[in-house]
Amino acid sequence: MHRPTKTSTALIALIWASLYSDTASAKNLAPTGTSEPVGEIVDGTAGSNAQDGEEVSRGDVIIVTARRRQETAQEVPLAISVIRGDSIESTGNFNVVKLQQLAPTLQVYTSNPRNTAVNIRGLGVPYGLTSDGFEQGVGIYVDDVYNARVAAATFDFLDVEQVEVLRGPQGTLYGKNTTAGAINITTNQPTFDFEGRAEVTVGNLNFRQAKAAISGPLSDKVAARIAVATASRRGTIFNVTSDRYINEQDNLGLRGTLLFQPNDDVSVTLSGDYSKQNPECCGTVFVRVGRTQRALARQYEALAAAQGYSVVSRNPFDRLTDIDASLNAGNKIGGASAKVKWDVGPGTFTSISAWRFWDWKPENDRDFTALSIVAKSQNPSQQDQYSQEFRYNYSGDTIDFVIGAFGFKQRIDTQGIEQQGVNASRWNLTGALASNPAVLNGLTASNTQYLKSTSAALFGQLSWKLTNAFTIQPGVRVNYDKKEGFYQRRVVDGVGVEISCFNPAPPAGSIRAAQCGVYQPQLSAPSVKDWNFSYDLNLNYKLAEDVLAYATYAKSFKTVGINQNGLPTDAAGYPILAAGVIKPESVNHFEAGIKTQFWDRKATFNLAAFRTDINNYQATVTNGQLGVLRGYLANAGKVRSQGLEVDLKIRPSDRFSAYANAAYTDAKYARFVDAPCPPELAGGTIATAANPPSPPGTAGGFSPANCDISGQRLPGVSKLAISYGAEVNTSVTALATEGQLYVGFDGNYRSGFSSNPSPSIYTSIKGYALSNYRVGFRSDKFEIYGWVRNVFDVNYFELLQVAPSNVGLVAGQLGDPRTFGGTVKLSF
């Protein structure tokens, strides 16, 4: 990490400063015509859109609907962070992947849009290549519509009002059950007063971004809003093979919303959106070589030398690569929804109908080298989903409740292809066959698969005010899931002849046996039905007018899963059909917290402690079988996550604000006795007492087929993560306009974490701190500012990956270097 002294000093100074000055949660504390302090996270949440009254300023607080009814932010007895739209824009956190820099409890990792993991408190989805057969543990909602495909996390925010990060199980208030939390994205809604905005940004790396939105009445009962955003940026890695920069940005988004209000009791909102990405992405750089248990002749250095290959650079931060396969991350997402809201006496009935699609067209280089080992690796997918939610909210003097019903239907079709290249024989085989490129060159595995998923649920939550200070809040959920899968893999050799590996099995040592050792034909059609009952209980007590204490217990689940990417095989090479279905996760969640306001509500301090235990944790397993192309799902015993979260914000005056948010997360495999082994133990045969594992790199060593990693840390989770920031401003007159001249800073730190499902000495990522600055002028009508992100040009990894065949090669995804630019915003 570059310049650690300056970064550490800035971190300490900002945390110290935040003890005396931080952001208040009320939007109206900001001076008229100003934006919110950059990076501000408000502990509370707003609801689905403005017409619901989710965000109504009353005095010095904000009214929110985290629990589907109106409450002040500090009265919500849940761990919730809200990041406002202007904070998202000015800090450059333009999608969910980047949002983790502002929300310390959020972890997002992506090797491409499909293979993205979004976790909260270390929980959500297993770490590794994505399978369609499991559910997300963190739900992503846009205007109350659930997005089943995690690729939504990689798209740019489009005309967003705010983003809420809800921590812990969300099953008794939200349509789709999620075990780790939810990310609720609220977009700006149509208005009956004409308004508009436009924004243009330019920066280094040929960064160009433009946004525009316009809203207004079409009649006295109908209003409309249209928004568009586009962004492009040169890649951050130079590929010497293609003579091009890769890992670029290329985004376009459109959204249209129509609001019909025939009277004060009824509103109908129709929305449609379409977004696409078409970047040359997502390539890796060489990071290191780690010794394994294989014979030295079967490890990376010897294999590369045997083919006269030398990587373009062994320093990953030269930002050079030489991968030879074509790259693409073609990604389209969109849909339409209809929301009907009807005030009925003391309650409100809401209906949300939605259809969404996702179209994924990838091209990858899965051997991470300039050699043609894996010549093609592509899994294009198409998804359609339909959802319907009904909800009734009742508010009374002592009783509030929400009851709802949710239905969901999804189909995903995938057409995968993986092909061996001209260098594959020498890389994967031994003996005379290794010297014959024709043995594996052109060997192609083509898979056809689909998933049909149906889910239905009844859910509800009651809030009973026993006294003015004490409230009891129970919730329940009944859930039904049905999954049907189909997977067929056909294999052809280099001359196009379809091969069979059974009845009879090919002779040992033959060309066909070598080919079957890489790809085997397979057919499976797993299906399962499952019912689940879950519940939660929240108790909260107002110790004083501005001090709320709460405790929550939740018994939750992640629904049953199926394997969609091929099954492991037995000793005879036949698929183990029993592995087609994996058990639901069983979740026990405990949480306690306190929320406080002080200094005439100019400051807030919130503290939460949690523990989550998951039995039958759903993990991605890769057992070294080449025929299992992408790993498979299995139950991993027990996982435990526990920790503390602190949010501190103070705004002593209109001229200064600061904040510091911290999360300590201790997430471990409590029990995982048959986990895949780390790369340093790859190769050889099963260890016995007579043949124990040899030290890495020794010839002919032995390694266990599985490892007991009980007690080791979950991947991707930093024990300590902090976000912090401050802003100071002064009133000035510029260009004949009264406004504010401001200087702002925001930063984040995260400690080291593992980048492999089984912790490895070769895939440990060191901690790092990032710092961002901006200076500008803003008024009611316009804002202009310059910004620098990653000011100290810190070198850091976002993700490390072990190359196929476990020969010791480790490749990586790099974080962005220093970037800078300027932004102009106009409002009218």
Side-chain angles (χ1 to χ4, degrees):
M1 183 173 67
H2 293 321
R3 306 193 186 185
T5 302
K6 291 187 177 181
T7 303
S8 302
T9 302
L11 169 62
I12 295 170
L14 260 297
I15 294 176
W16 180 87
S18 67
L19 295 174
Y20 300 97
S21 53
D22 204 342
T23 52
S25 62
K27 179 176 281 187
N28 67 319
L29 287 182
T32 302
T34 68
S35 63
E36 286 299 298
V38 168
E40 180 186 23
I41 299 181
V42 181
D43 197 42
T45 184
S48 58
N49 55 46
Q51 77 214 33
D52 292 341
E54 285 84 347
E55 187 178 334
V56 181
S57 182
R58 295 182 181 175
D60 55 357
V61 296
I62 289 179
I63 305 301
V64 298
T65 56
R67 298 185 295 170
R68 307 303 193 188
R69 57 183 178 273
Q70 292 189 356
E71 302 169 286
T72 62
Q74 287 298 108
E75 289 178 335
V76 178
L78 299 170
I80 306 172
S81 298
V82 180
I83 305 100
R84 304 201 178 283
D86 50 6
S87 294
I88 291 170
E89 292 176 353
S90 52
T91 56
N93 295 283
F94 51 83
N95 59 23
V96 171
V97 176
K98 296 293 184 182
L99 198 65
Q100 60 186 322
Q101 296 185 15
L102 293 178
T105 57
L106 184 66
Q107 301 96 29
V108 188
Y109 309 96
T110 177
S111 59
N112 61 42
R114 184 176 191 264
N115 294 305
T116 299
V118 179
N119 288 348
I120 292 176
R121 295 169 170 171
L123 306 175
V125 294
Y127 202 85
L129 295 179
T130 296
S131 170
D132 297 329
F134 65 80
E135 302 286 340
Q136 303 298 317
V138 176
I140 298 177
Y141 294 84
V142 180
D143 292 336
D144 276 356
V145 176
Y146 175 70
N147 283 249
R149 304 313 303 163
V150 73
T154 68
F155 282 94
D156 288 1
F157 292 131
L158 179 59
D159 198 26
V160 165
E161 178 188 7
Q162 64 184 26
V163 178
E164 303 109 30
V165 180
L166 293 79
R167 285 108 72 181
Q170 305 295 324
T172 62
L173 283 174
Y174 284 78
K176 188 67 174 174
N177 183 69
T178 53
T179 56
I183 298 173
N184 197 18
I185 301 170
T186 304
T187 66
N188 291 305
Q189 296 298 300
T191 59
F192 282 94
D193 294 320
F194 180 79
E195 65 178 36
R197 53 170 295 189
E199 177 182 327
V200 175
T201 299
V202 296
N204 66 327
L205 304 180
N206 295 326
F207 181 56
R208 303 289 185 270
Q209 184 181 64
K211 301 178 183 179
I214 189 169
S215 180
L218 301 181
S219 71
D220 60 346
K221 299 182 184 300
V222 179
R225 187 180 188 94
I226 298 175
V228 61
T230 180
S232 63
R233 192 184 75 176
R234 195 202 74 190
T236 56
I237 297 172
F238 187 75
N239 187 355
V240 299
T241 301
S242 64
D243 196 34
R244 291 172 57 88
Y245 282 96
I246 63 171
N247 295 5
E248 60 192 9
Q249 294 177 17
D250 183 7
N251 305 298
L252 173 67
L254 304 167
R255 176 182 296 277
T257 309
L258 194 68
L259 172 62
F260 173 53
Q261 286 187 323
N263 55 55
D264 292 340
D265 296 329
V266 177
S267 67
V268 179
T269 305
L270 305 177
S271 297
D273 68 279
Y274 171 83
S275 295
K276 73 172 184 176
Q277 299 172 330
N278 193 32
E280 187 173 353
C281 188
C282 303
T284 57
V285 296
F286 175 99
V287 175
R288 64 174 63 99
V289 175
R291 292 287 183 90
T292 73
Q293 292 284 339
R294 299 179 183 276
L296 290 175
R298 301 301 307 150
Q299 300 198 41
Y300 173 82
E301 301 290 10
L303 292 170
Q307 304 203 48
Y309 171 66
S310 179
V311 68
V312 62
S313 174
R314 288 184 172 248
N315 178 2
F317 298 107
D318 286 341
R319 297 186 176 270
L320 295 174
T321 190
D322 57 5
I323 54 179
D324 63 317
S326 58
L327 297 178
N328 188 38
N331 201 15
K332 298 178 182 178
I333 199 168
S337 65
K339 180 175 182 178
V340 179
K341 182 171 173 289
W342 182 20
D343 292 337
V344 184
T348 301
F349 172 79
T350 304
S351 169
I352 305 164
S353 309
W355 160 75
R356 297 202 62 75
F357 76 90
W358 175 63
D359 187 4
W360 169 235
K361 294 182 179 179
E363 295 178 82
N364 303 299
D365 191 318
R366 285 294 178 199
D367 59 45
F368 307 142
T369 72
L371 296 172
S372 183
I373 303 167
V374 180
K376 287 185 180 180
S377 180
Q378 304 167 8
N379 274 271
S381 293
Q382 307 83 41
Q383 184 231 211
D384 280 286
Q385 69 170 69
Y386 302 86
S387 60
Q388 175 64 57
E389 181 173 351
F390 296 110
R391 218 169 45 227
Y392 181 75
N393 299 39
Y394 171 85
S395 296
D397 293 335
T398 59
I399 296 290
D400 296 337
F401 68 81
V402 178
I403 56 174
F406 179 75
F408 178 81
K409 190 174 184 65
Q410 175 190 41
R411 175 164 179 141
I412 305 174
D413 290 276
T414 301
Q415 310 82 37
I417 182 171
E418 186 162 314
Q419 185 177 82
Q420 298 288 292
V422 68
N423 302 113
S425 295
R426 179 61 65 90
W427 198 265
N428 293 311
L429 305 179
T430 59
L433 294 180
S435 301
N436 183 0
V439 175
L440 295 184
N441 186 29
L443 182 71
T444 303
S446 302
N447 69 77
T448 301
Q449 58 178 292
Y450 68 75
L451 169 71
K452 294 190 288 186
S453 178
T454 302
S455 179
L458 297 174
F459 58 91
Q461 195 175 89
L462 172 72
S463 182
W464 182 15
K465 306 179 188 68
L466 296 178
T467 69
N468 288 335
F470 182 53
T471 300
I472 180 172
Q473 178 186 299
V476 296
R477 181 186 185 91
V478 178
N479 206 94
Y480 169 78
D481 287 283
K482 179 181 179 181
K483 294 181 185 292
E484 299 176 74
F486 174 83
Y487 178 88
Q488 183 176 33
R489 183 196 307 147
R490 297 181 181 273
V491 182
V492 299
D493 62 18
V495 295
V497 176
E498 187 168 353
I499 71 173
S500 173
C501 299
F502 313 107
N503 297 324
S510 67
I511 289 177
R512 191 64 84 212
Q515 293 169 340
C516 288
V518 177
Y519 299 142
Q520 295 177 352
Q522 191 173 118
L523 177 67
S524 63
S527 63
V528 66
K529 301 177 182 179
D530 193 43
W531 287 87
N532 293 98
F533 175 74
S534 57
Y535 52 90
D536 56 40
L537 177 65
N538 177 280
L539 306 176
N540 57 88
Y541 188 81
K542 297 197 73 171
L543 302 175
E545 181 180 2
D546 291 326
V547 181
L548 175 69
Y550 64 91
T552 299
Y553 169 73
K555 175 66 174 178
S556 188
F557 70 98
K558 184 195 286 187
T559 189
V560 66
I562 61 175
N563 273 301
Q564 278 294 103
N565 294 324
L567 299 177
T569 57
D570 59 23
Y574 290 96
I576 303 173
L577 298 181
V581 175
I582 54 172
K583 299 175 183 178
E585 292 182 354
S586 177
V587 181
N588 284 285
H589 174 74
F590 305 86
E591 186 162 338
I594 187 167
K595 292 188 169 186
T596 67
Q597 296 181 91
F598 55 96
W599 200 1
D600 293 330
R601 296 188 173 178
K602 295 177 182 178
T604 63
F605 175 81
N606 301 321
L607 175 68
F610 66 91
R611 177 174 174 131
T612 305
D613 293 290
I614 301 179
N615 289 308
N616 293 321
Y617 181 74
Q618 297 173 356
T620 299
V621 174
T622 53
N623 66 349
Q625 294 180 345
L626 290 174
V628 181
L629 300 184
R630 299 169 59 82
Y632 62 97
L633 292 176
N635 293 108
K638 184 176 181 180
V639 158
R640 183 264 292 154
S641 178
Q642 62 186 11
L644 293 171
E645 298 162 350
V646 179
D647 299 300
L648 178 64
K649 312 169 183 69
I650 301 177
R651 182 196 288 269
S653 73
D654 292 343
R655 300 290 166 240
F656 182 77
S657 62
Y659 69 94
N661 309 302
Y664 173 81
T665 307
D666 179 20
K668 293 182 178 180
Y669 295 106
R671 185 177 66 256
F672 196 1
V673 298
D674 55 353
C677 292
E680 52 264 41
L681 295 179
T685 59
I686 298 177
T688 64
N691 294 304
S694 302
T698 57
F702 294 90
S703 67
N706 300 101
C707 289
D708 184 350
I709 60 172
S710 303
Q712 298 196 42
R713 291 169 58 189
L714 286 176
V717 188
S718 298
K719 280 197 171 183
L720 180 62
I722 309 173
S723 63
Y724 41 88
E727 181 179 295
V728 60
N729 66 75
T730 185
S731 296
V732 298
T733 300
L735 301 176
T737 302
E738 291 186 1
Q740 291 181 343
L741 179 67
Y742 63 89
V743 177
F745 164 83
D746 66 271
N748 67 93
Y749 166 79
R750 57 179 310 183
S751 61
F753 59 93
S754 169
S755 187
N756 194 65
S758 297
S760 167
I761 58 176
Y762 302 138
T763 58
S764 178
I765 294 180
K766 295 181 179 180
Y768 56 87
L770 303 177
S771 302
N772 312 311
Y773 289 91
R774 71 202 178 279
V775 58
F777 173 83
R778 61 185 170 222
S779 69
D780 290 337
K781 298 300 182 182
F782 75 92
E783 180 176 3
I784 180 170
Y785 63 96
W787 46 265
V788 183
R789 293 163 189 150
N790 190 5
V791 171
F792 302 120
D793 202 20
V794 173
N795 288 328
Y796 67 101
F797 293 107
E798 293 184 337
L799 186 70
L800 295 180
Q801 297 172 269
V802 178
S805 304
N806 274 332
V807 297
L809 174 60
V810 178
Q813 301 272 355
L814 301 177
D816 281 351
R818 179 194 297 120
T819 58
F820 53 86
T823 300
V824 177
K825 298 181 181 181
L826 301 176
S827 301
F828 51 89

